[in-house]
Amino acid sequence: MTGGATDTVARPLLELTGITKRYGDLLANDDVSLRVAPGEVVAMLGENGAGKSTLMKVVYGLVRPDAGTVAVDGRPLDISSPKDAMGAGIGMVTQEFSLVETMTVTDNVALSGTGLGRVDRAETRRRVVEAMERVGVSLDPDRLVGSLSIGERQRVEIVKALFHDCRVVILDEPTAVLTPQDVRALFETVRRLRAAGLGILVVSHKLREVAEISDRVVVLRRGRLVGDRVTATVRDEELAALMMGGSTDEVAAATATPAGEPSELEAAVGMGDPEPVQPAGAGPTTGEPVLLLTGLTVSRGGRDVLSGIDLTVRAGEIVGLAGVSGNGQTELVEVLSGTLPVTSGTLEVDGQDVTSADVGRRLAAGLGRLTEDRRGSVVPQMSVEYNLVLEDLPAYTKRGLLDRKAVRAHAEAMIERFDIRARPADAVATLSGGNMQKVLLARALARRPRVLVVAQPTRGLDIGAYRYVHQQLDELRTEGAGVLLVSEDLDELRALSDRVVVLFRGEVVGEMPVAEASPDRLGVLMAGGGSS
Amino acid sequence: MKFVLRGHEPRWLAPVAVLVAVLVTLALTAVPIRLAGAAPLAAYERYLVTPLTSTHGLHEVLLTATPLLFTGIAVAIAFRAGYWNIGAEGQFLLGAIGTTWVGTTFTDLPAPVALPLGFLAGAAGGLLWAVVPAWLKRRAGIDEVVTTLLLNPVALLVVQGLLNGPWRNSSSGFTDSDRLGSGFDLPALIPDSRVHWGFGVAVVVIVVTGVVLARTATGVRIKAAGQAPRAAEFSGVDVGRLQWRCALVSGAIAGLGGASQVMGVQHQLTAGISDGYGYTGVIVATLGGLSAIGVVLVALLLGDISVGAQNVSLVLQVPAQLGAMFSALLLLAVLSAMSWRRYRLQWRPRPRSGGSR
């Protein structure tokens, strides 16, 4: 272990050497070496599937590498569980929090560390408060975690890492679930951690965030570390090129699209102009309403999860629906899809009242659906070809029997048109997330819907699939269909939508043309600031 | 070493997996056969081969397989839809009761009327017994595994109650029902054998079911409902209603099995009318991969083993229960082997630990 040849002055806190991990034919990590120094924020960029998650799991002891070592403070470690990692001073904040909602902040922080011995509550509480002060987190230590916002819960997770004297903190896609205000608070916390001499590794696929918070950027592509740059001097185009594997020139060309139009690449990597831009289809839309919600109210368990929603989507426009998760978007998509009943109000698709219609009649009226729950929309063990026709079986029935040739021909056509990397008879379970999404997209678009309801269409997709999905939605708009785009990714919403509607606690709290939908304004509305 | 999800299933895999399972089963059953004082190889020959070497043996295999064809396909339909009907035994018994009731009430009917009526009554009896758990499942979400299973002994008590009370044999006084009217006797399917037309009805039911499951929109919906109810619901399939219907069809087919056994073999209701056919049906359906052709093959195999077991116990003086043991071990072995169809084993070298040490 020689530390002399590093490009950082200080001795590395965390050092990965030659990490290699293979899953079957897939080389998830290929000889990855990486160092994080004390007081340094390193951002790890990479598209989905580049191997970031695997590398994080190796560091955190959830996956054993086939080769390579993890060292903290120059000491090679044998990490085989998150407990080992924590013991070695590595703390990880993942996208899914491991918090007990019915316990207080203090108890949650203490929970992970204490063994079976007695807990000195007063002492623990004092130490928790101290840890919070160190990073400028102000939370009531006696509040129940269940009453905290997502951003606050994330801060509890960070405090947890500090409480265990972690010296390296890994943040995995930390901004994925946050409002812009929360993101700002998070970055402030990260700066305090850096000032305290901790090493921080931020895993992300958003260039803008990386530029704002990190000192150094490493780029992972197809399992290999393809770039290591100082944030202050690197150009965004160069990072994007490294991530995507295209040549820098190609990327530069792609980003240099005519002024005012966001390129797909910019949208994809989140480095578009932070000020709102005028999308292609903006301006007053005069198309027919293809989706019309009037006073739509839905109760679940005696509570209104959606109350009095009025919403119109016209032909030829994309309406973006913004909101922090858990404010009724999921229910709205379900109720439109026909899997959740309407309590009151009406719902029209292309002029037809489908308020109490079943799924089949809604589809016949011209509704297309692409929900965030991909696995809940396909039959995993069933073949691609039958999943493709699942919603339209009568059309493939001749004299009572399935026309297997027609089913196969349809599948081949869809595979060709949507570039699905699979054979018709393959079980959908064996497809990658991107290909599964393409199957669902193909199924939703095959019947030429008048209006498409999509939720988180690009979540978990690699950049190629991301661009592809955006392109398809854009084409759908050009062809004159309406799109209701539900997304938690503001960049995506602002890049694609003509209008943005904000949902908060089951109510529409704001509606504006995309030109006025700045992240700040949306953030205020999403946090409930516009309802008073 | 770990299991990895397969992308494609090679065509040779299923037969090879079954073969491996059979070999494992043979190896495992060798121990008790030895303990019973017989030579395993000789016993295997008598279990599996002897019944097939004579015309009489072949006929007996078909006869024994007949009730299993009914209960096997009945269970397969329900399982496909994700409705775990373990109650084919009770439904079979209620079918037998229904047929006996019409057969002993309308004794003078001629065969062309009596036989369809007998089957109809059997289907109605089985359906009736399937309604309650299916309704409880649909209306109140009560787990059908428990309700269908617990109704089986109840059905047997109903049979015994009838035979000890109102249906006690009027001439002999034994706890068997009166003989059915002669119009209700199923004719022989193969001349000079005990194989009756119930076998023919079973084959028709299986062919129809097989076509529906494999080649129609309904079959695809049933499969979707069984494998991924949420996705099926999303695609517009009313999963609850589909399971309800499959549950009733399943019960009716199991009831047909009871009708076939009463009209084709016993010609009266007896407490032993079902030799656990409903339970064995679960084995038949599962081993047969819930497919029509699989049900046929497994029912014939189990019929073969069952006929062979009687032969073995007579000739080699080992307990007849070894046959049941053989079937049970085979089920376990095949189920284990079938996991290979979806997963493959991956051997991975031990990771080099620690690196520099």
Side-chain angles (χ1 to χ4, degrees):
Chain A
M1 293 296 157
T2 53
T6 75
D7 52 352
T8 48
V9 183
R11 168 194 172 100
L13 254 181
L14 174 71
E15 181 167 26
L16 310 183
T17 316
I19 301 287
T20 301
K21 177 69 196 174
R22 184 183 279 281
Y23 289 110
D25 301 333
L26 179 80
L27 204 51
N29 285 157
D30 185 4
D31 193 20
V32 176
S33 298
L34 172 68
R35 294 185 172 91
V36 181
E40 185 185 33
V41 179
V42 177
M44 186 190 291
L45 268 179
E47 58 182 88
N48 288 295
K52 292 174 300 186
S53 304
T54 304
L55 195 62
M56 290 308 101
K57 284 178 184 164
V58 167
V59 175
Y60 210 50
L62 292 168
V63 161
R64 261 188 179 279
D66 298 329
T69 56
V70 178
V72 171
D73 259 346
R75 268 183 308 117
L77 302 168
D78 187 21
I79 295 175
S80 59
S81 77
K83 212 175 155 184
D84 293 349
M86 220 180 255
I90 302 171
M92 172 111 89
V93 179
T94 59
Q95 293 174 65
E96 276 146 40
F97 306 142
S98 44
L99 297 171
V100 185
E101 294 196 359
T102 52
M103 286 168 57
T104 64
V105 172
T106 303
D107 288 346
N108 263 291
V109 173
L111 185 67
S112 49
T114 48
L116 289 170
R118 281 163 55 95
V119 181
D120 183 343
R121 294 183 68 101
E123 167 68 8
T124 309
R125 190 174 179 282
R126 197 187 56 72
R127 281 184 55 208
V128 169
V129 173
E130 190 187 271
M132 287 199 287
E133 277 167 1
R134 262 166 62 202
V135 286
V137 171
S138 55
L139 279 177
D140 178 353
D142 300 322
R143 254 177 86 180
L144 291 180
V145 165
S147 71
L148 301 179
S149 73
I150 300 292
E152 289 169 327
R153 289 180 198 204
Q154 188 179 53
R155 269 164 258 160
V156 175
E157 286 282 1
I158 294 174
V159 170
K160 237 161 92 176
L162 285 180
F163 184 82
H164 295 109
D165 299 322
C166 288
R167 304 184 47 219
V168 182
V169 176
I170 299 167
L171 302 167
D172 188 11
E173 301 280 0
T175 60
V177 291
L178 301 185
T179 62
Q181 282 83 353
D182 277 334
V183 171
R184 232 168 278 154
L186 170 73
F187 284 178
E188 185 49 38
T189 304
V190 170
R191 289 191 190 98
R192 301 279 285 258
L193 294 173
R194 170 167 59 191
L198 274 75
I200 297 133
L201 185 60
V202 181
V203 180
S204 181
H205 62 257
K206 294 184 180 166
L207 281 183
R208 195 191 306 152
E209 287 172 2
V210 162
E212 188 173 340
I213 194 66
S214 68
D215 302 310
R216 205 149 58 80
V217 188
V218 295
V219 182
L220 216 56
R221 190 174 81 236
R222 294 191 183 177
R224 291 191 67 88
L225 202 74
V226 293
D228 187 339
R229 304 282 191 277
V230 175
T231 312
T233 56
V234 70
R235 289 181 310 130
D236 284 352
E237 291 84 348
E238 188 183 352
L239 290 176
L242 287 168
M243 266 172 86
M244 294 175 52
S247 75
T248 312
D249 293 343
E250 191 182 306
V251 174
T255 52
T257 43
E261 271 199 34
S263 73
E264 277 152 354
L265 176 70
E266 283 178 315
V269 296
M271 64 182 196
D273 188 331
E275 286 308 306
V277 284
Q278 193 80 3
T285 321
T286 51
E288 303 271 299
V290 286
L291 182 70
L292 184 62
L293 278 59
T294 320
L296 193 83
T297 299
V298 174
S299 300
R300 206 181 224 182
R303 203 170 59 88
D304 280 359
V305 286
L306 290 173
S307 38
I309 304 281
D310 294 314
L311 184 67
T312 309
V313 177
R314 295 175 182 279
E317 72 167 348
I318 296 181
V319 175
L321 191 77
V324 176
S325 65
N327 278 287
Q329 302 98 310
T330 313
E331 286 82 1
L332 185 63
V333 172
E334 281 179 27
V335 83
L336 293 177
S337 300
T339 48
L340 187 66
V342 175
T343 308
S344 67
T346 60
L347 166 57
E348 283 175 34
V349 170
D350 203 20
Q352 297 178 49
D353 187 335
V354 294
T355 310
S356 51
D358 62 17
V359 173
R361 279 184 46 215
R362 283 174 195 219
L363 297 180
L367 179 73
R369 309 156 306 156
L370 191 66
T371 73
E372 61 190 291
D373 184 13
R374 265 168 240 162
R375 295 198 172 266
S377 310
V378 291
V379 184
Q381 291 110 295
M382 205 180 257
S383 61
V384 168
E385 53 184 345
Y386 281 99
N387 268 292
L388 280 170
V389 298
L390 198 54
E391 290 172 354
D392 207 13
L393 287 167
Y396 294 90
T397 304
K398 255 196 213 162
R399 278 179 253 106
L401 293 185
L402 282 172
D403 185 347
R404 292 202 269 195
K405 274 187 192 151
V407 170
R408 176 60 58 94
H410 174 70
E412 278 165 356
M414 289 295 125
I415 284 171
E416 166 90 30
R417 179 176 152 201
F418 291 90
D419 189 28
I420 302 166
R421 306 284 162 80
R423 285 170 280 179
D426 286 353
V428 165
T430 62
L431 269 55
S432 72
N435 279 313
M436 205 182 279
Q437 186 70 319
K438 284 179 177 178
V439 168
L440 287 167
L441 195 64
R443 188 167 81 186
L445 298 186
R447 298 219 297 192
R448 306 202 156 272
R450 293 291 296 142
V451 59
L452 182 70
V453 176
V454 293
Q456 326 296 353
T458 53
R459 181 181 280 175
L461 299 190
D462 65 44
I463 208 160
Y466 186 112
R467 297 178 65 179
Y468 183 83
V469 169
H470 278 196
Q471 191 188 325
Q472 289 290 327
L473 295 181
D474 194 43
E475 270 176 31
L476 200 62
R477 162 170 60 191
T478 312
E479 287 165 11
V483 176
L484 179 65
L485 170 66
V486 180
S487 177
E488 281 162 20
D489 184 342
L490 290 188
D491 292 332
E492 176 168 275
L493 280 179
R494 295 173 63 237
L496 282 176
S497 309
D498 301 292
R499 268 190 301 138
V500 179
V501 173
V502 183
L503 212 56
F504 178 71
R505 295 200 177 144
E507 288 177 45
V508 172
V509 293
E511 179 172 347
M512 68 209 80
V514 72
E516 295 163 22
S518 68
D520 277 346
R521 184 160 175 210
L522 289 179
V524 167
L525 289 170
M526 282 161 69
S531 58
S532 53
Chain B
M1 196 180 91
K2 62 178 181 178
F3 287 98
V4 183
L5 200 65
R6 263 181 209 281
H8 312 277
E9 186 193 335
R11 283 193 161 274
W12 51 265
L13 192 67
V16 166
V18 171
L19 192 71
V20 169
V22 169
L23 292 177
V24 168
T25 308
L26 292 177
L28 287 175
T29 43
V31 178
I33 291 172
R34 266 256 169 257
L35 289 176
L41 280 180
Y44 295 147
E45 193 191 339
R46 293 201 170 266
Y47 273 124
L48 298 168
V49 183
T50 312
L52 306 178
T53 51
S54 70
T55 317
H56 173 72
L58 276 171
H59 291 163
E60 286 301 302
V61 168
L62 295 185
L63 181 72
T64 315
T66 302
L68 300 181
L69 290 173
F70 281 109
T71 55
I73 198 70
V75 172
I77 290 171
F79 278 22
R80 273 262 185 142
Y83 181 89
W84 306 104
N85 178 20
I86 318 291
E89 180 76 7
Q91 291 143 14
F92 182 95
L93 290 174
L94 260 287
I97 290 175
T99 304
T100 308
W101 180 67
V102 295
T104 53
T105 307
F106 311 104
T107 46
D108 297 331
L109 287 178
V113 183
L115 294 177
L117 181 67
F119 276 116
L120 204 66
L127 187 141
L128 193 74
W129 212 241
V131 161
V132 174
W135 187 82
L136 286 174
K137 161 95 169 179
R138 196 171 179 200
R139 291 289 148 219
I142 293 173
D143 187 72
E144 75 278 12
V145 174
V146 176
T147 50
T148 54
L149 178 68
L150 291 183
L151 278 174
N152 291 337
V154 177
L156 186 59
L157 288 172
V158 172
V159 170
Q160 289 168 345
L162 285 170
L163 295 180
N164 280 292
W167 285 8
R168 188 183 280 267
N169 195 295
S170 54
S171 52
S172 70
F174 290 152
T175 54
D176 298 326
S177 76
D178 285 352
R179 206 184 182 290
L180 272 57
S182 57
F184 288 89
D185 288 350
L186 277 171
L189 183 63
I190 302 170
D192 303 323
S193 81
R194 298 210 291 152
V195 183
H196 52 85
W197 264 98
F199 182 80
V201 173
V203 169
V204 170
V205 167
I206 286 182
V207 168
V208 170
T209 308
V211 169
V212 169
L213 288 180
R215 298 292 309 273
T216 67
T218 306
V220 174
R221 292 196 186 102
I222 290 175
K223 200 172 165 191
Q227 292 180 345
R230 228 157 24 107
E233 202 75 63
F234 180 78
S235 300
V237 178
D238 187 337
V239 174
R241 190 165 66 192
L242 196 64
Q243 287 184 336
W244 158 262
R245 287 180 180 172
C246 286
L248 298 192
V249 168
S250 171
I253 293 176
L256 284 179
S260 149
Q261 204 67 1
V262 168
M263 298 194 293
V265 181
Q266 306 277 9
H267 307 293
Q268 60 179 172
L269 185 64
T270 66
I273 188 79
S274 170
D275 185 16
Y277 297 132
Y279 296 114
T280 312
V282 177
I283 299 182
V284 172
T286 311
L287 282 187
L290 307 185
S291 75
I293 184 77
V295 164
V296 172
L297 291 176
V298 176
L300 290 175
L301 174 68
L302 294 190
D304 179 31
I305 294 172
S306 171
V307 172
Q310 290 160 21
N311 190 301
V312 173
S313 64
L314 285 176
V315 179
L316 299 179
Q317 302 294 308
V318 299
Q321 284 82 351
L322 273 174
M325 195 167 153
F326 189 90
S327 305
L329 275 172
L330 185 65
L331 174 72
L332 292 176
V334 170
L335 287 184
S336 313
M338 280 304 156
S339 61
W340 289 72
R341 291 180 64 176
R342 288 200 55 212
Y343 298 92
R344 62 193 164 84
L345 262 184
Q346 193 183 57
W347 299 90
R348 52 173 192 173
R350 282 199 65 79
R352 278 178 276 153
S353 60
S356 53
R357 271 165 293 167

